[in-house]
Amino acid sequence: MPAESRFLAGTRLAVTTFTTLPVRAGRIDRPVAGTAMALAPVVGALLGALLAGVLLLTGAFAPPLVAAGVTVAAAALLTRGLHLDGLADTVDALGSYRRGAAALEIMKKPDVGPFGVVALVVVLLVQAAALADLVGRSWPACLAAVATATAAGRFGVTVACRRGVPAARPDGLGALVAGTVGPVALVVGAVAVALLAVPAVPGRPWQGPLTVAVALAVAVGLQTHVVRRLGGMTGDVLGATVEVVTTLVYLGLVLSG
């Protein structure tokens, strides 16, 4: 497959995987999936810029917490709530203390258990509280902060799809993307997200990159635990990674020393 065609197909797959934008899907195979997962933080940064616009525009006419709530709702709408669903399913499976096929069966159930509900509430509350704080910053810092959080969340998926990490099932999204991302994409993505984070905290250029590094370290720990418990990656785990990393980055960006 020509390199340009693969790139374009990967771009379409990245957009359709991480947003609700009506983009026609092209060829889908593992090489294309690898390109899509490598481009995940780019899609995240663009989505973050849009969400920052929603936050700043709403914040100009409404109290900060209302603006934050609208932005969290917009994020869920623009991603079909798939990452939140993945978070709930993953936490329910891990909270069951079951392993392998038994835990994977819990992830398939359409209902949400108590662990999943608590996880959703905590994540949405922390994100909303952090966004409410970001409204008070200058628009460049607010833009950088929201773009960093959303880009880092998607880069967590890039990291989860690195070579050597298996899929938990022989089919599904996990099987398509697991192990498709090489070291070059990981290094380029890490540097890009770290640079994006530099202006996120005015007067403290180190805090953004450090926050991203800590959040991704937590994500790697979670992914290692998931592989040990489930046998590999699933689409739900990738969604959970997005929400966990995004939330941790938001939290780290609003902490003051």
Side-chain angles (χ1 to χ4, degrees):
M1 184 176 184
E4 184 178 8
S5 298
R6 173 178 165 180
F7 177 79
L8 292 175
T11 300
R12 288 196 295 268
L13 181 58
V15 172
T16 57
T17 300
F18 295 104
T19 75
T20 57
L21 293 179
V23 177
R24 181 179 59 85
R27 177 176 173 177
I28 299 178
D29 53 27
R30 282 182 58 80
V32 168
T35 300
M37 296 305 101
L39 291 173
V42 178
V43 176
L46 295 175
L47 177 63
L50 178 59
L51 293 174
V54 172
L55 179 65
L56 291 169
L57 180 62
T58 309
F61 301 98
L65 191 56
V66 173
V70 170
T71 304
V72 168
L77 179 64
L78 291 172
T79 58
R80 299 186 296 273
L82 290 179
H83 305 141
L84 292 170
D85 179 68
L87 173 68
D89 289 343
T90 300
V91 172
D92 278 338
L94 296 178
S96 71
Y97 295 103
R98 297 182 183 179
R99 308 178 73 89
L104 291 172
E105 191 61 32
I106 291 175
M107 297 178 80
K108 284 185 175 181
K109 293 183 177 179
D111 59 319
V112 179
F115 283 114
V117 171
V118 171
L120 289 175
V121 170
V122 170
V123 161
L124 293 174
L125 281 176
V126 172
Q127 290 185 9
L131 286 165
D133 182 84
L134 293 175
V135 175
R137 296 185 182 178
S138 65
W139 74 262
C142 181
L143 173 62
V146 180
T148 294
T150 54
R154 278 69 186 172
F155 183 61
V157 173
T158 306
V159 173
C161 296
R162 65 192 182 277
R163 292 173 186 167
V165 179
R169 300 188 183 99
D171 53 8
L173 178 62
L176 176 65
V177 302
T180 60
V181 177
V184 174
L186 292 174
V187 172
V188 172
V191 171
V193 176
L195 290 175
L196 182 62
V198 170
V201 184
R204 308 177 83 180
W206 52 267
Q207 186 168 339
L210 177 61
T211 294
V212 170
V214 171
L216 291 173
V218 172
V220 171
L222 172 63
Q223 292 158 9
T224 301
H225 179 64
V226 165
V227 170
R228 187 165 55 246
R229 287 282 302 279
L230 305 181
M233 286 291 117
T234 71
D236 282 330
V237 174
L238 298 181
T241 298
V242 170
E243 294 299 338
V244 169
V245 174
T246 299
T247 303
L248 290 176
V249 172
Y250 274 135
L251 180 61
L253 293 179
V254 298
L255 291 178
S256 57

mmCIF file of all heavy atoms in Angstrom, residues 61 121 130 132 155 230:
data_model
loop_
_atom_site.group_PDB
_atom_site.id
_atom_site.type_symbol
_atom_site.label_atom_id
_atom_site.label_comp_id
_atom_site.label_asym_id
_atom_site.label_seq_id
_atom_site.Cartn_x
_atom_site.Cartn_y
_atom_site.Cartn_z
ATOM 1 N N PHE A 61 -20.021 34.073 29.403
ATOM 2 C CA PHE A 61 -21.421 34.409 29.670
ATOM 3 C C PHE A 61 -22.011 33.658 30.871
ATOM 4 O O PHE A 61 -23.125 33.958 31.283
ATOM 5 C CB PHE A 61 -22.275 34.088 28.434
ATOM 6 C CG PHE A 61 -21.848 34.818 27.200
ATOM 7 C CD1 PHE A 61 -21.033 34.210 26.246
ATOM 8 C CD2 PHE A 61 -22.234 36.137 26.975
ATOM 9 C CE1 PHE A 61 -20.641 34.877 25.105
ATOM 10 C CE2 PHE A 61 -21.848 36.814 25.841
ATOM 11 C CZ PHE A 61 -21.043 36.190 24.900
ATOM 12 N N VAL A 121 -18.286 9.007 38.019
ATOM 13 C CA VAL A 121 -18.581 10.199 38.820
ATOM 14 C C VAL A 121 -17.301 10.929 39.190
ATOM 15 O O VAL A 121 -17.189 12.156 39.054
ATOM 16 C CB VAL A 121 -19.376 9.814 40.083
ATOM 17 C CG1 VAL A 121 -19.469 11.010 41.037
ATOM 18 C CG2 VAL A 121 -20.775 9.331 39.710
ATOM 19 N N ALA A 130 -11.513 20.964 37.372
ATOM 20 C CA ALA A 130 -10.279 21.482 36.780
ATOM 21 C C ALA A 130 -10.582 22.486 35.671
ATOM 22 O O ALA A 130 -9.946 23.545 35.577
ATOM 23 C CB ALA A 130 -9.444 20.324 36.240
ATOM 24 N N ALA A 132 -13.175 24.346 35.401
ATOM 25 C CA ALA A 132 -13.678 25.579 36.021
ATOM 26 C C ALA A 132 -12.514 26.465 36.460
ATOM 27 O O ALA A 132 -12.576 27.701 36.367
ATOM 28 C CB ALA A 132 -14.580 25.239 37.205
ATOM 29 N N PHE A 155 -2.618 10.123 23.504
ATOM 30 C CA PHE A 155 -1.277 9.561 23.426
ATOM 31 C C PHE A 155 -1.144 8.351 24.361
ATOM 32 O O PHE A 155 -0.346 7.441 24.097
ATOM 33 C CB PHE A 155 -0.219 10.607 23.781
ATOM 34 C CG PHE A 155 1.191 10.113 23.639
ATOM 35 C CD1 PHE A 155 1.666 9.696 22.402
ATOM 36 C CD2 PHE A 155 2.030 10.038 24.727
ATOM 37 C CE1 PHE A 155 2.963 9.207 22.263
ATOM 38 C CE2 PHE A 155 3.321 9.558 24.596
ATOM 39 C CZ PHE A 155 3.796 9.147 23.363
ATOM 40 N N LEU A 230 -6.068 -9.471 32.304
ATOM 41 C CA LEU A 230 -6.951 -9.821 31.191
ATOM 42 C C LEU A 230 -6.247 -10.580 30.080
ATOM 43 O O LEU A 230 -6.909 -11.164 29.220
ATOM 44 C CB LEU A 230 -7.590 -8.555 30.606
ATOM 45 C CG LEU A 230 -8.339 -7.647 31.566
ATOM 46 C CD1 LEU A 230 -8.919 -6.463 30.809
ATOM 47 C CD2 LEU A 230 -9.423 -8.396 32.326
#
